[in-house]
Amino acid sequence: MLLLPAALGRTVIVVSLRRPRTRVCRGEDEDESGGAMDTAEAPFLLVVEDVFPLNQGRLVRVTGRIERGRVRTADEVQIVGFGGGALTRVFRIDGCRQHVEEAHTGMNVGLLLPGATTEVIERGQVLAAPGSIGAHIAFDADIALLPEDQGGAELRTGGSLDFYVHAGAVRGTVTLPHGMHTLHPLHTATATITLERPVALERGRSFAFRHHGRAGGSGTVTRLLY
């Protein structure tokens, strides 16, 4: 589960940890809030959910949801996260159950890429406009713990957690603020997170984490360190 703090140290709102499966043909024009209209002109970003080698490895089909921006056939995109960084080119776009020349914010699509990318792309990475987002292993974040009856447990500096960012999971440790020895369930803090693998991150990115194999809490990136 992913929770977001509604009031400091007290109330939390619990929502699904797993990324919702958006309808394939949903796009920014159908967003009732109008927020997606703004993200349509932002740099392209797609969260990689699945990877399928095709034609005996000559092509790879990457599926996921476009979080922002647009992508067109023949566009150059960058693989970011988990040690990625390679540039590749979009060979074909499948969306709305058919081949399309362009896809945009809110659409679930399949992008066909050259087969050479098979060895360097995996679930949890992102495809992005080159240079628009970086991969990081350390960052500051506002974190909130679930109540005990929902899995929340005391957290101490050096505690090891499973962090869920985008569609992937990566192990990491927490460093609490100076002078704070323990963070208790239903409380919040600004902590430093250090991951075992670099993940595509930017300020404002929400994430969830598990503690001792149970849902532990959630957080929001406030500062990127390295």
Side-chain angles (χ1 to χ4, degrees):
M1 302 297 289
L2 170 65
L3 62 94
L4 300 175
L8 186 63
R10 297 302 305 168
T11 305
V12 293
I13 301 172
V14 180
V15 297
S16 173
L17 175 65
R18 292 186 61 83
R19 174 175 297 278
R21 295 286 183 174
T22 305
R23 288 185 296 122
V24 170
C25 293
R26 183 177 174 86
E28 73 265 24
D29 293 336
E30 300 178 43
D31 191 331
E32 295 178 0
S33 69
M37 291 293 289
D38 297 329
T39 62
E41 303 309 318
F44 169 69
L45 179 72
L46 175 141
V47 174
V48 177
E49 295 185 353
D50 289 297
V51 178
F52 305 96
L54 301 175
N55 294 347
Q56 298 180 334
R58 289 190 291 272
L59 291 172
V60 59
R61 186 173 190 266
V62 175
T63 63
R65 181 180 183 273
I66 299 177
E67 287 200 351
R68 67 181 184 221
R70 300 172 183 272
V71 64
R72 299 172 177 84
T73 300
D75 276 357
E76 187 176 61
V77 295
Q78 186 175 21
I79 302 167
V80 183
F82 298 164
L87 296 174
T88 187
R89 200 166 294 278
V90 177
F91 179 73
R92 194 178 79 181
I93 305 171
D94 294 327
C96 298
R97 299 182 178 87
Q98 60 184 346
H99 168 58
V100 295
E101 291 298 321
E102 176 181 297
H104 49 67
T105 303
M107 290 178 65
N108 270 9
V109 296
L111 303 184
L112 265 65
L113 309 176
T117 60
T118 303
E119 302 300 322
V120 296
I121 193 165
E122 61 182 289
R123 176 181 171 88
Q125 293 175 314
V126 302
L127 291 177
S132 63
I133 187 172
H136 302 268
I137 62 171
F139 58 94
D140 289 339
D142 292 332
I143 62 172
L145 300 187
L146 283 165
E148 287 187 75
D149 60 357
Q150 295 182 21
E154 290 185 349
L155 182 60
R156 295 179 174 83
T157 290
S160 185
L161 305 172
D162 292 311
F163 292 90
Y164 293 83
V165 188
H166 302 299
V170 60
R171 196 79 168 165
T173 57
V174 175
T175 302
L176 296 176
H178 180 72
M180 179 181 286
H181 302 292
T182 305
L183 183 62
H184 298 279
L186 260 183
H187 285 72
T188 65
T190 298
T192 299
I193 313 297
T194 305
L195 304 174
E196 292 183 353
R197 304 177 71 190
V199 173
L201 287 174
E202 50 198 351
R203 289 181 60 187
R205 169 63 58 181
S206 296
F207 59 89
F209 54 84
R210 297 181 71 86
H211 191 200
H212 299 315
R214 303 178 62 186
S218 69
T220 302
V221 177
T222 58
R223 185 169 66 129
L224 300 171
L225 299 178
Y226 56 88

